[in-house]
Amino acid sequence: MSGIKIVHSTMDPSRAQHREIVPAGESWIHLVKKGQIFRIVDLEGNQAVDTLFYNAHDLTDRYSFQETIREQKNIYLTAGTKIMSSNGNVLMTIVADTCGRHDTLGGACATESNMVRYAIEKRHMHACRQSFVKAVIAYDHGFEKRDIANNINFFMNVPVTPEGGLTFEDGISEAGKYVELRADRDTLVLISNCPQLNNPCNAYNPTPIQVLIWDAQ
Ligand SMILES: [Zn+2]
């Protein structure tokens, strides 16, 4: 695929301070401190990792796809992308990326969108939005449903056609590919490891991911 930029990391996984597997369909919430390096590994390939970022010192200052797209003048996210907040702060920067393209237009799956896109019987299937809500309620820091705004879909391939159309395509990620971010300020990261079974964003087969955190160098 043209325009894909691959940047490898020099971080050693055996030296990470935090290593954890997030099973398919589960959520994960964690504080990543300023200077720490945070990696998400697509363990089996073609998984969609729906992710939200919040300024840890002001949870109303949260990831903004508008600010992020405007800042880099590109709709695809990859190495060099600054993860911007709604107040215009840089929360994190993507410093390595062996997949090369991530989406921030497709949004997170919800029971409502499952019904509209696929079939009314899909109503009872678990969706990312529920994982996000479940995680913020369990986190219990005054977070609630309205704090779930637009997200990034790491490893998800949503190409935009020359006419401006949006298409959900088979992923370009493969087993072991990763994206790595440096925290530019203390950032709360919230992940829903997507349980979606109805579209090719995770190959109709949700799989686990690994998250790693290294302390500031
Ligand atoms: Zn999803």
Side-chain angles (χ1 to χ4, degrees):
M1 205 175 292
S2 63
I4 296 286
K5 180 171 67 172
I6 301 300
V7 177
H8 291 272
S9 168
T10 55
M11 303 305 288
D12 178 359
S14 70
R15 297 190 166 210
Q17 273 70 40
H18 186 96
R19 277 192 301 269
E20 192 176 342
I21 302 290
V22 182
E26 291 294 322
S27 55
W28 182 82
I29 191 163
H30 203 96
L31 173 66
V32 180
K33 295 200 188 106
K34 183 179 178 182
Q36 286 186 321
I37 303 286
F38 167 59
R39 181 188 291 186
I40 307 171
V41 186
D42 186 1
L43 288 175
E44 298 183 27
N46 271 3
Q47 177 61 15
V49 183
D50 295 43
T51 308
L52 290 160
F53 299 93
Y54 302 84
N55 179 343
H57 302 288
D58 175 7
L59 298 177
T60 66
D61 185 27
R62 59 176 80 109
Y63 174 68
S64 163
F65 80 100
Q66 296 98 324
E67 294 288 336
T68 299
I69 288 172
R70 186 162 53 215
E71 170 75 18
Q72 65 174 10
K73 301 182 180 64
N74 196 294
I75 52 173
Y76 301 126
L77 277 46
T78 186
T81 295
K82 290 181 171 67
I83 305 299
M84 303 296 295
S85 75
S86 46
N87 288 355
N89 292 311
V90 181
L91 297 177
M92 288 194 170
T93 303
I94 300 180
V95 290
D97 182 11
T98 60
C99 174
R101 179 180 286 183
H102 309 274
D103 163 69
T104 193
L105 298 176
C109 64
T111 53
E112 294 85 350
S113 61
N114 280 346
M115 285 190 285
V116 172
R117 279 183 189 148
Y118 310 113
I120 199 82
E121 305 83 69
K122 307 292 185 185
R123 177 190 190 114
H124 303 290
M125 294 178 78
H126 187 68
C128 279
R129 187 146 178 103
Q130 293 166 317
S131 288
F132 281 148
V133 171
K134 186 176 156 211
V136 298
I137 289 170
Y139 187 67
D140 195 23
H141 280 60
F143 255 161
E144 52 182 301
K145 207 172 175 181
R146 68 176 174 188
D147 296 308
I148 310 302
N150 301 82
N151 63 293
I152 293 174
N153 297 303
F154 285 113
F155 308 109
M156 192 160 126
N157 186 23
V158 184
V160 175
T161 67
E163 295 73 34
L166 213 54
T167 54
F168 288 75
E169 297 286 333
D170 191 10
I172 56 171
S173 186
E174 291 167 8
K177 294 207 171 184
Y178 59 81
V179 60
E180 199 170 279
L181 303 100
R182 182 194 63 234
D184 292 292
R185 55 185 68 218
D186 296 346
T187 301
L188 189 69
V189 179
L190 171 55
I191 285 175
S192 165
N193 192 15
C194 185
Q196 182 58 258
L197 289 166
N198 301 294
N199 86 41
C201 69
N202 48 18
Y204 305 96
N205 174 34
T207 49
I209 55 166
Q210 185 184 34
V211 287
L212 301 98
I213 299 171
W214 291 265
D215 276 344
Q217 300 303 291

